[in-house]
Amino acid sequence: MGRIPIRDIEPSVENGSWAAKGTELEAFPVRATVFREGHDLFAAEAVLVDPHGNEVQTEPMVLIRPGLGRYEAWLTPTYPGAWTYFVRSYSDPIATWEHNAQARIGADTDIELVFLEAEAWMNRALTTLEAAVQSGATDADMTALKDALDVIHMERLSPTVRFEAATAAGVRTALVHAPVRDMVTESSRFPVNVDRSLALAGSWYEIFPRSHGSYQDQDGTWVSGTLATAAQDLGRIAGMGFDVVYLTPVSPIGTTNRKGRNNTLEAAPGDPGSPYAIGSADGGHDAIHPELGTFEDFDQFVASAKSYGMEVALDFALQCSPDHPWLTEHPEWFTTRADGTIAFAENPPKKYQDIYPLNFDNDPEGIYQEIVRVLEVWISHGVTIFRVDNPHTKPVQFWQRLMAQFRIEHPDILFLAEAFTAPPMMQGLGAVGFHQSYCYFAWRTEKEEIEEYLQELATESDHLLRPAFWPTTHDILTPFMQDGGKAAFELRAVLAATGAPTYGIYSGYELVENVARPGFEEQIDNEKYEFKPRNWQAGEHTGIPQLLTQLNRIRHAHPSLQRLRGIRINPTSSDQIISYTRFARPEEVAGKAGAIPEPLGGAGSPAADAVITVINLDPHNGHDAVLDLDLSPFGVTPGWAGEPLFEVTDELTGQTFLWNEHPYVSLNPGSNVAHVLSVRVISD
Amino acid sequence: MGRIPIRDIEPSVENGSWAAKGTELEAFPVRATVFREGHDLFAAEAVLVDPHGNEVQTEPMVLIRPGLGRYEAWLTPTYPGAWTYFVRSYSDPIATWEHNAQARIGADTDIELVFLEAEAWMNRALTTLEAAVQSGATDADMTALKDALDVIHMERLSPTVRFEAATAAGVRTALVHAPVRDMVTESSRFPVNVDRSLALAGSWYEIFPRSHGSYQDQDGTWVSGTLATAAQDLGRIAGMGFDVVYLTPVSPIGTTNRKGRNNTLEAAPGDPGSPYAIGSADGGHDAIHPELGTFEDFDQFVASAKSYGMEVALDFALQCSPDHPWLTEHPEWFTTRADGTIAFAENPPKKYQDIYPLNFDNDPEGIYQEIVRVLEVWISHGVTIFRVDNPHTKPVQFWQRLMAQFRIEHPDILFLAEAFTAPPMMQGLGAVGFHQSYCYFAWRTEKEEIEEYLQELATESDHLLRPAFWPTTHDILTPFMQDGGKAAFELRAVLAATGAPTYGIYSGYELVENVARPGFEEQIDNEKYEFKPRNWQAGEHTGIPQLLTQLNRIRHAHPSLQRLRGIRINPTSSDQIISYTRFARPEEVAGKAGAIPEPLGGAGSPAADAVITVINLDPHNGHDAVLDLDLSPFGVTPGWAGEPLFEVTDELTGQTFLWNEHPYVSLNPGSNVAHVLSVRVISD
């Protein structure tokens, strides 16, 4: 325990044993319980330390839970790296003096003692001030203190006048530059791994490259699309404003036990097989499927994406087809069954004979080094993001080692965990270093559960995992999406794009592909098992490409939609209409070297940028509602007689409204499923 | 992260930086989140390590929050000292085999593989068994495995028969002795400071020794009671069954600025002064007030208490009267004000000129060593408990050092913190090592808040602090006690004695002393400022001495009332009738070397001893209610047609009732304020 005790500091993972998650230019809240003995006053501040060990930001902590002594301040790291933070507490003798002085003057007792004490701390401040030029101390500070000293000595003046001199604005400024503190106590330092912004915020677009440019020739034989033909679609994708193009696996596909269309056990001639059954005579994880092209084609694909401002994410599925070279080169990397055969994937009595899982316990070092080598191959060809397939079926230990090594050797490389599993594993993978996580978003469809989930992700698990919101994937087509027609695709796109800093769209979303394989929550004629060329021009008629384009434009224009932690739920009078405000703090909006902007609601209010979203969650019926806007991000209070507080602009339609704290909204699936509103605070 | 990850282990203070609280023969719950990759089964166990480093108890952990992977087991340290515990997780290949075998046999697939796998683990178990004689392995185990091996090889038998052979009782027993585990993972070790039982459980009785035997002589002059006359009251106190007699300070009392009756600023001649204004020409904290006697008298008092089976707790109030020797010998231990005078206690504009507080920052080492010396003086005279007055006005750091040193040098010496302040300080003092804490009990008077508080103390802060329940003290007489007459004193005594393992009674409680100084929540004619001889025989007529005697007898007879963590609230149909069951686990009832008893509800149920308390919280009116008994401590289920489940005996009246899960009770202030019931489970 320090002299002024500091306890229960967050964010921390296992009390600082592992690093919490941070992102460049995203503020994070530091909270701690600070208390002390007796009646003397004290204060605390949170201090941010950059990777070089410099204390670059110090913020006074504010009491957020009176009675429980819980304090908070927000810190904003500005670039990626291994940052730390700590809490500093101290006894505040001047605040104590001020408190006591007011009480004594009020009771007309010990007046001379009051000013003898003031003289003492003023002289102490003067001494400090001489050494405090670095922290901005000026001659004016010195003068202010000396003038105040003169006044407090004048016993003929009233105690009130002398007190006012001791607490004048100039004196307070001087004390900022030359703080007078006792019993300064520092907590231990807590690590925060700060990643680049794409780890937190980005718009993703998923494709099976072989579908793009595939076709049937005259005799009905399918011809695969290639990396080269897929690259021709990059302009369209970039045109919608996406930041990341994500490719399902591009490595050779096995032929033994290859799956046929709709996950049937027997592939028909010409069936291309699942790209997740990796490995054939043409190579394994470090090779490219010959039908897709060569590494040269891959390099050109990456270069083209880059020229459009997009990064390439590659699927990384650590499993093997029966034809994978590892099976013959390294049979020891697999499980040998009691009957001497190598084990295919199995969840008895179900068998997945097209897939052989690695056994990470047989030769952990050998497997680890080989996987690092494979990742390095793709990194050398421009891949900057790996979407890791089913990381929760591999040892967490393995990922911990890999993430630690890559954070040092390749700090720009990002890993997305596709672990649709229970919270301990999902958060555990985040804790060991995955940059981003698929999450339960697709299955949260009711208003209340969405509100709770947004809140949980932003305020409870934010130091452990960064969520990616995907309305659909090639594996997931929920009943809500199957049943809700185009409006479901529209409203879930708005929810995904404004509900989390990262969202993703699986190719075909534009066409409202919502037919499921009977009995399954996934697409019929799943693209995993067949070519799926699409008519993008038909897609234009749904209006969804236009909606996605608008959403991505709004996301790029508003830092508030690129941050996880600034969210307030706005209650509404309808159980079908959800509303939330996302906001960014001034330091977050400032950018890497920019001046810190004025908050929307004026000095001291939290939000420098904000977007209010309102969505009708019912894809079948129109609803209206009165909102109960949470005003706290704006630091405004309700006006008289409902006068307007905000001018809001629907960034989807360009319409402008004057809103007070209880606006009325009406949303219809046929016309508009949502408002996405930028905000101007009307000042008096 | 270990191979089978283990996270968020409790109990722990700052992730094991400091020790959690434990008590000899009190079970504590170990909880952890355990999870793993893939589908293979795993398990976890909690392991208790004694101060010598021996693993003395291993308990399988049970999944208590499915989906969240939260596991629990209870461990019971058996004697005081620095214990640790840890969690061990492991892959369970036999459970995995069993799960898969059932699925395969059910689907009639891979039958021979199933038994090849069984053969493998059986051979492994046989090898282990040979080395496992220590853990109780016998020839029978060996035979069981070999027989099973024979059967599983018989392909002519049905798979079901072969499976049953592999999972027969004898095989399971053999596997307990020779466990087959993979990927064994151990968490780090977490410290638990285990204290002797009186740290947790005891009945206290507080006296101002000078009152006992004090009298007015013919001319009205007061004559002080002495340690010798107070000792004559020990038989009465012990007769009521108390374990601890607590003395307010016995050191010399200052005369300068001595307080008069009812806290007046001017003492009249003959006023004895507050024993909390310590120090005079007769000495300081290491001396005895001459009017009370000598160290010889003190030793005799302690010896007499001991002969009655009671320990002596001494008030330890670290503050000085203006006449304390430290003021002249060590003026540097106090605060010098800006005007050069030594600071008396003050909360401006209020002044407490009879008290000078130590300034622990001026000479921390000097003050620390002197305080250790003073404590050693009293320990050498038989004091085993210190009731520390206002520890929250001294630096927490100071207590941390003191508690750490005394835990090593005097592990039997207990410290009770009198810190009526905010939770962070209260819990902070517990965290740094105070054995026991006064708490908010006196101010919890409504049913709902009492229920919540009992729950919080038993399940949330139990690893940080041990509560002491005092219905009144010499400083506290709540409005509830002022207004509720004798019934209030009765019901709060029952609540205190059954609600927490430690409770305390302030002398005079027997006489229902409930008149407050007007405007204050404390007694009129407070004993702090005057002599207060009492007519104990008059007290007999209230019935309260008899009630206290009964309560202490019941407390001694029932381990369940001597443990903090075993509690269940029983909902009732009345907002004035509260009910709760306290219970002790078999290991807690076993005692230091006893055989572990059978639980009340038969093997596997949690409670081996239980007391159900029902109290009418309304001191003015009778109430009746139907209870909804929580059956979980007993492991019984409701019977048909409301047939009786329990025979309960009211230990206050001797009455016996047959109860089902919804008994009816009726309680009246005039006759009975409470039931305190022992429980026998009626077995079929």
Side-chain angles (χ1 to χ4, degrees):
Chain A
M1 279 283 193
R3 182 61 186 81
I4 307 289
I6 305 165
R7 291 195 56 203
D8 296 327
I9 297 173
E10 4 170 81
S12 82
V13 187
E14 313 267 326
N15 203 37
S17 311
W18 304 328
K21 280 202 156 35
T23 312
E24 53 176 341
L25 294 171
E26 189 188 41
F28 68 90
V30 175
R31 299 193 185 97
T33 300
V34 187
F35 59 101
R36 75 167 295 180
E37 84 290 354
H39 297 293
D40 283 3
L41 300 180
F42 63 98
E45 57 195 20
V47 183
L48 185 64
V49 181
D50 74 13
H52 306 290
N54 305 311
E55 297 182 11
V56 293
Q57 191 187 3
T58 301
E59 297 289 336
M61 297 183 83
V62 175
L63 185 62
I64 54 166
R65 298 192 66 184
L68 295 182
R70 197 86 183 135
Y71 288 78
E72 180 188 270
W74 289 73
L75 298 176
T76 309
T78 48
Y79 59 88
W83 296 62
T84 60
Y85 75 90
F86 65 91
V87 173
R88 183 187 287 139
S89 60
Y90 55 90
S91 181
D92 189 338
I94 296 181
T96 304
W97 170 85
E98 193 170 328
H99 174 269
N100 291 348
Q102 285 174 314
R104 284 166 167 159
I105 293 169
D108 195 21
T109 181
D110 291 325
I111 301 299
E112 290 319 308
L113 182 66
V114 163
F115 296 108
L116 280 172
E117 288 176 357
E119 181 184 354
W121 64 250
M122 284 183 189
N123 282 326
R124 192 173 155 195
L126 277 170
T127 311
T128 314
L129 209 53
E130 280 157 21
V133 181
Q134 271 195 321
S135 57
T138 63
D139 287 349
D141 294 330
M142 199 69 90
T143 308
L145 276 173
K146 286 181 176 162
D147 288 353
L149 264 173
D150 286 346
V151 177
I152 63 166
H153 283 138
M154 298 183 190
E155 296 187 17
R156 63 185 168 80
L157 295 177
S158 81
T160 309
V161 169
R162 294 160 77 189
F163 176 79
E164 278 166 3
T167 55
V171 174
R172 291 193 196 273
T173 305
L175 290 172
V176 170
H177 297 141
V180 173
R181 298 175 172 184
D182 290 320
M183 310 176 192
V184 176
T185 305
E186 293 189 355
S187 75
S188 56
R189 295 188 172 199
F190 288 79
V192 180
N193 274 341
V194 176
D195 298 313
R196 65 190 182 106
S197 22
L198 197 66
L200 176 67
S203 308
W204 291 44
Y205 190 86
E206 172 187 358
I207 63 170
F208 282 68
R210 69 183 178 194
S211 286
H212 294 249
S214 64
Y215 61 92
Q216 274 181 299
D217 65 16
Q218 297 91 318
D219 61 2
T221 309
W222 277 96
V223 177
S224 177
T226 63
L227 288 162
T229 56
Q232 292 169 17
D233 207 17
L234 286 169
R236 183 186 66 86
I237 297 166
M240 288 188 283
F242 287 97
D243 306 309
V244 174
V245 58
Y246 147 44
L247 308 179
T248 53
V250 297
S251 291
I253 298 170
T255 50
T256 306
N257 296 326
R258 175 179 284 191
K259 291 282 185 74
R261 291 175 171 233
N262 282 309
N263 202 20
T264 47
L265 290 179
E266 303 272 322
D271 279 353
S274 166
Y276 291 90
I278 292 173
S280 76
D282 296 312
H285 284 75
D286 56 350
I288 289 179
H289 194 45
E291 291 188 12
L292 288 174
T294 63
F295 269 105
E296 203 164 88
D297 297 324
F298 189 86
D299 293 343
Q300 284 182 8
F301 183 94
V302 172
S304 175
K306 201 172 168 187
S307 75
Y308 282 117
M310 295 191 295
E311 296 192 26
V312 173
L314 183 63
D315 217 315
F316 194 62
L318 277 173
Q319 51 192 18
C320 302
S321 94
D323 310 317
H324 197 291
W326 286 343
L327 271 133
T328 45
E329 291 166 14
H330 291 285
E332 76 277 13
W333 289 354
F334 299 86
T335 301
T336 302
R337 306 203 301 179
D339 60 5
T341 60
I342 292 184
F344 45 80
E346 201 181 1
N347 188 7
K350 290 190 207 156
K351 302 178 180 192
Y352 307 97
Q353 287 175 293
D354 58 331
I355 293 292
Y356 284 69
L358 290 165
N359 182 328
F360 286 75
D361 294 296
N362 286 359
D363 175 16
E365 187 63 28
I367 293 179
Y368 180 81
Q369 295 305 345
E370 172 66 358
I371 288 170
V372 169
R373 189 190 65 75
V374 168
L375 290 168
E376 294 280 7
V377 166
W378 294 108
I379 291 170
S380 75
H381 286 282
V383 169
T384 50
I385 307 173
F386 294 96
R387 178 268 193 196
V388 178
D389 192 67
N390 285 336
H392 57 297
T393 60
K394 288 88 189 171
V396 179
Q397 247 180 2
F398 165 81
W399 297 118
Q400 183 178 25
R401 180 177 176 190
L402 193 75
M403 294 298 141
Q405 178 175 338
F406 274 66
R407 254 203 177 73
I408 292 165
E409 296 179 4
H410 295 291
D412 281 350
I413 301 299
L414 308 177
F415 291 86
L416 162 64
E418 188 240 11
F420 291 110
T421 180
M425 175 60 86
M426 207 181 251
Q427 297 189 357
L429 291 170
V432 300
F434 271 90
H435 298 77
Q436 214 175 85
S437 309
Y438 283 86
C439 65
Y440 307 134
F441 168 72
W443 297 277
R444 298 287 183 271
T445 54
E446 300 293 322
K447 179 182 172 185
E448 198 178 334
E449 65 186 7
I450 298 169
E451 289 179 345
E452 277 173 17
Y453 199 51
L454 291 174
Q455 197 74 30
E456 175 193 322
L457 291 168
T459 65
E460 289 170 35
S461 61
D462 54 307
H463 63 301
L464 290 173
L465 65 83
R466 302 189 188 94
F469 278 12
W470 289 75
T472 67
T473 74
H474 62 261
D475 288 322
I476 301 168
L477 185 72
T478 61
F480 185 89
M481 301 304 281
Q482 297 173 31
D483 302 338
K486 191 180 76 165
F489 277 61
E490 289 171 343
L491 75 91
R492 293 294 294 187
V494 177
L495 196 55
T498 60
T502 283
Y503 87 117
I505 292 295
Y506 164 46
S507 181
Y509 198 88
E510 303 92 321
L511 298 159
V512 191
E513 293 176 351
N514 64 358
V515 181
R517 179 153 64 99
F520 293 86
E521 292 191 14
E522 64 171 55
Q523 305 258 359
I524 198 163
D525 304 330
N526 194 305
E527 198 170 0
K528 273 198 287 189
Y529 310 108
E530 60 190 85
F531 298 108
K532 230 170 174 173
R534 294 180 175 94
N535 180 348
W536 300 118
Q537 291 201 310
E540 303 285 319
H541 300 300
T542 65
I544 289 184
Q546 295 88 330
L547 175 64
L548 296 173
T549 307
Q550 279 179 305
L551 289 170
N552 286 330
R553 179 186 53 71
I554 301 168
R555 287 168 50 86
H556 285 130
H558 287 282
S560 52
L561 296 180
Q562 298 164 41
R563 302 292 182 272
L564 177 61
R565 294 176 168 108
I567 188 164
R568 296 286 186 277
I569 305 297
N570 302 311
T572 83
S573 61
S574 162
D575 62 0
Q576 293 296 329
I577 293 198
I578 191 172
S579 174
Y580 45 86
T581 303
R582 296 205 83 98
F583 66 95
R585 289 164 189 273
E587 291 85 354
E588 295 176 319
V589 174
K592 300 218 179 192
I596 293 177
E598 186 74 0
L600 293 174
S605 61
D609 177 60
V611 169
I612 301 172
T613 299
V614 190
I615 304 175
N616 174 11
L617 295 173
D618 180 350
H620 303 292
N621 303 293
H623 293 275
D624 49 11
V626 173
L627 311 187
D628 181 13
L629 285 182
D630 185 329
L631 300 180
S632 63
F634 308 105
V636 298
T637 46
W640 291 98
E643 63 185 343
L645 299 168
F646 307 105
E647 182 187 271
V648 298
T649 302
D650 189 335
E651 297 288 331
L652 295 174
T653 62
Q655 278 182 291
T656 292
F657 309 96
L658 290 178
W659 273 13
N660 64 19
E661 71 276 23
H662 294 305
Y664 167 86
V665 296
S666 179
L667 294 166
N668 268 284
S671 48
N672 55 345
V673 297
H675 294 302
V676 180
L677 305 144
S678 62
V679 182
R680 192 175 69 77
V681 174
I682 298 170
S683 50
D684 302 320
Chain B
M1 280 281 195
R3 181 62 187 80
I4 308 288
I6 305 165
R7 290 194 57 201
D8 297 327
I9 297 172
E10 26 173 56
S12 83
V13 188
E14 313 267 328
N15 203 37
S17 312
W18 304 328
K21 279 199 158 35
T23 311
E24 52 175 343
L25 293 171
E26 190 188 39
F28 67 89
V30 174
R31 298 194 186 95
T33 301
V34 187
F35 59 100
R36 74 167 296 179
E37 83 289 355
H39 297 293
D40 282 3
L41 299 180
F42 64 98
E45 57 195 18
V47 183
L48 185 63
V49 182
D50 74 12
H52 307 289
N54 304 311
E55 297 182 11
V56 293
Q57 191 187 3
T58 301
E59 296 291 334
M61 297 182 83
V62 175
L63 185 62
I64 53 167
R65 297 191 67 183
L68 294 181
R70 197 84 184 136
Y71 288 78
E72 180 188 89
W74 289 73
L75 299 176
T76 309
T78 49
Y79 58 88
W83 296 62
T84 60
Y85 74 92
F86 65 92
V87 174
R88 182 187 288 138
S89 60
Y90 54 90
S91 182
D92 189 338
I94 297 182
T96 304
W97 171 83
E98 194 170 328
H99 174 270
N100 291 348
Q102 286 174 313
R104 283 167 168 158
I105 293 169
D108 195 21
T109 180
D110 291 325
I111 301 300
E112 290 318 308
L113 182 65
V114 163
F115 296 107
L116 281 172
E117 288 175 356
E119 181 184 354
W121 64 251
M122 284 183 189
N123 283 325
R124 193 173 154 195
L126 277 171
T127 311
T128 315
L129 209 52
E130 281 157 22
V133 181
Q134 272 195 319
S135 58
T138 62
D139 287 346
D141 293 331
M142 198 70 89
T143 308
L145 275 173
K146 285 180 177 163
D147 288 353
L149 263 173
D150 286 345
V151 177
I152 63 166
H153 283 139
M154 297 182 190
E155 297 187 16
R156 63 185 168 80
L157 296 177
S158 80
T160 310
V161 169
R162 295 160 77 190
F163 176 78
E164 278 166 4
T167 56
V171 175
R172 292 195 196 273
T173 306
L175 290 172
V176 170
H177 297 141
V180 173
R181 298 175 173 183
D182 290 320
M183 309 177 191
V184 176
T185 305
E186 293 189 355
S187 75
S188 55
R189 294 187 172 199
F190 289 78
V192 180
N193 275 341
V194 175
D195 298 314
R196 65 189 181 107
S197 18
L198 197 66
L200 175 66
S203 308
W204 292 43
Y205 189 85
E206 173 187 358
I207 63 169
F208 283 67
R210 69 182 179 196
S211 285
H212 295 249
S214 64
Y215 63 92
Q216 273 180 300
D217 64 16
Q218 298 91 320
D219 62 1
T221 309
W222 278 98
V223 177
S224 177
T226 64
L227 288 163
T229 56
Q232 292 168 16
D233 207 17
L234 286 170
R236 183 187 64 87
I237 298 166
M240 288 188 284
F242 287 98
D243 307 308
V244 174
V245 57
Y246 145 46
L247 307 179
T248 54
V250 298
S251 291
I253 297 170
T255 50
T256 306
N257 297 327
R258 176 179 282 190
K259 290 283 185 72
R261 291 175 170 233
N262 282 308
N263 202 18
T264 48
L265 291 180
E266 304 270 321
D271 279 353
S274 165
Y276 292 89
I278 292 174
S280 75
D282 296 312
H285 283 76
D286 56 352
I288 290 180
H289 194 46
E291 292 187 12
L292 288 175
T294 63
F295 268 106
E296 201 164 272
D297 298 324
F298 190 86
D299 293 343
Q300 283 182 7
F301 184 93
V302 172
S304 176
K306 202 172 167 186
S307 76
Y308 282 117
M310 296 191 294
E311 297 192 26
V312 173
L314 183 64
D315 217 315
F316 194 63
L318 278 173
Q319 51 191 17
C320 303
S321 94
D323 309 318
H324 197 291
W326 285 343
L327 272 133
T328 45
E329 291 166 15
H330 291 285
E332 75 278 13
W333 289 355
F334 300 85
T335 301
T336 302
R337 306 204 301 180
D339 61 4
T341 60
I342 291 184
F344 45 80
E346 202 182 0
N347 188 8
K350 290 190 208 156
K351 301 177 181 192
Y352 307 96
Q353 287 174 292
D354 59 331
I355 293 293
Y356 283 69
L358 290 165
N359 182 327
F360 286 76
D361 293 296
N362 285 0
D363 175 16
E365 187 61 28
I367 291 179
Y368 180 81
Q369 295 305 345
E370 172 67 356
I371 288 169
V372 169
R373 190 190 65 75
V374 169
L375 289 168
E376 294 280 7
V377 166
W378 294 108
I379 291 170
S380 75
H381 287 281
V383 169
T384 50
I385 308 173
F386 294 95
R387 177 269 194 195
V388 178
D389 192 68
N390 286 336
H392 57 297
T393 60
K394 288 88 189 169
V396 179
Q397 246 180 3
F398 165 80
W399 297 118
Q400 183 177 25
R401 181 176 174 189
L402 193 76
M403 295 298 141
Q405 179 175 337
F406 274 65
R407 255 206 176 72
I408 292 165
E409 297 179 3
H410 295 291
D412 280 350
I413 302 300
L414 308 177
F415 290 86
L416 161 64
E418 189 241 12
F420 291 110
T421 179
M425 174 61 85
M426 209 181 254
Q427 298 190 355
L429 292 170
V432 301
F434 271 91
H435 298 77
Q436 212 175 85
S437 309
Y438 282 85
C439 66
Y440 307 134
F441 168 73
W443 297 276
R444 298 287 182 273
T445 55
E446 300 292 323
K447 178 183 173 184
E448 197 177 336
E449 66 188 5
I450 298 169
E451 289 179 343
E452 278 172 17
Y453 199 50
L454 291 174
Q455 197 74 31
E456 175 194 321
L457 291 168
T459 65
E460 289 170 36
S461 60
D462 54 307
H463 63 300
L464 290 172
L465 64 83
R466 301 190 189 96
F469 279 12
W470 289 74
T472 67
T473 74
H474 62 261
D475 287 323
I476 301 169
L477 185 72
T478 60
F480 185 88
M481 300 305 281
Q482 297 173 31
D483 302 338
K486 192 181 74 164
F489 276 61
E490 289 171 342
L491 75 91
R492 293 294 293 187
V494 177
L495 195 56
T498 61
T502 283
Y503 88 117
I505 292 295
Y506 163 47
S507 181
Y509 198 88
E510 303 92 320
L511 298 159
V512 192
E513 292 177 351
N514 64 359
V515 181
R517 180 154 64 100
F520 293 85
E521 293 192 13
E522 64 172 54
Q523 307 258 358
I524 197 163
D525 303 331
N526 194 306
E527 199 170 359
K528 272 197 288 189
Y529 311 108
E530 61 191 85
F531 298 107
K532 229 170 177 176
R534 293 180 175 95
N535 180 350
W536 300 119
Q537 290 200 309
E540 301 287 318
H541 300 302
T542 64
I544 288 183
Q546 295 88 330
L547 175 64
L548 296 173
T549 307
Q550 280 179 304
L551 289 171
N552 287 331
R553 179 185 53 73
I554 301 168
R555 287 168 49 85
H556 285 130
H558 287 282
S560 51
L561 296 180
Q562 300 164 40
R563 302 291 182 273
L564 177 61
R565 294 175 167 110
I567 188 165
R568 296 285 186 279
I569 305 298
N570 301 310
T572 85
S573 61
S574 162
D575 63 359
Q576 293 297 329
I577 294 198
I578 191 171
S579 174
Y580 44 86
T581 303
R582 298 206 82 99
F583 66 96
R585 289 165 189 274
E587 292 84 356
E588 295 176 318
V589 175
K592 300 219 177 189
I596 293 176
E598 187 73 1
L600 293 174
S605 60
D609 177 60
V611 170
I612 301 173
T613 300
V614 190
I615 305 175
N616 173 12
L617 296 172
D618 181 349
H620 304 293
N621 304 294
H623 293 274
D624 47 12
V626 173
L627 312 188
D628 182 13
L629 286 183
D630 186 328
L631 301 180
S632 63
F634 308 104
V636 297
T637 46
W640 292 98
E643 63 186 342
L645 299 168
F646 307 105
E647 182 188 270
V648 299
T649 302
D650 189 334
E651 297 288 330
L652 295 174
T653 62
Q655 278 182 288
T656 292
F657 310 95
L658 290 179
W659 273 13
N660 63 19
E661 71 275 22
H662 294 305
Y664 167 85
V665 296
S666 178
L667 294 166
N668 269 284
S671 48
N672 55 345
V673 298
H675 294 303
V676 180
L677 304 145
S678 60
V679 182
R680 191 175 69 77
V681 173
I682 298 171
S683 49
D684 302 321

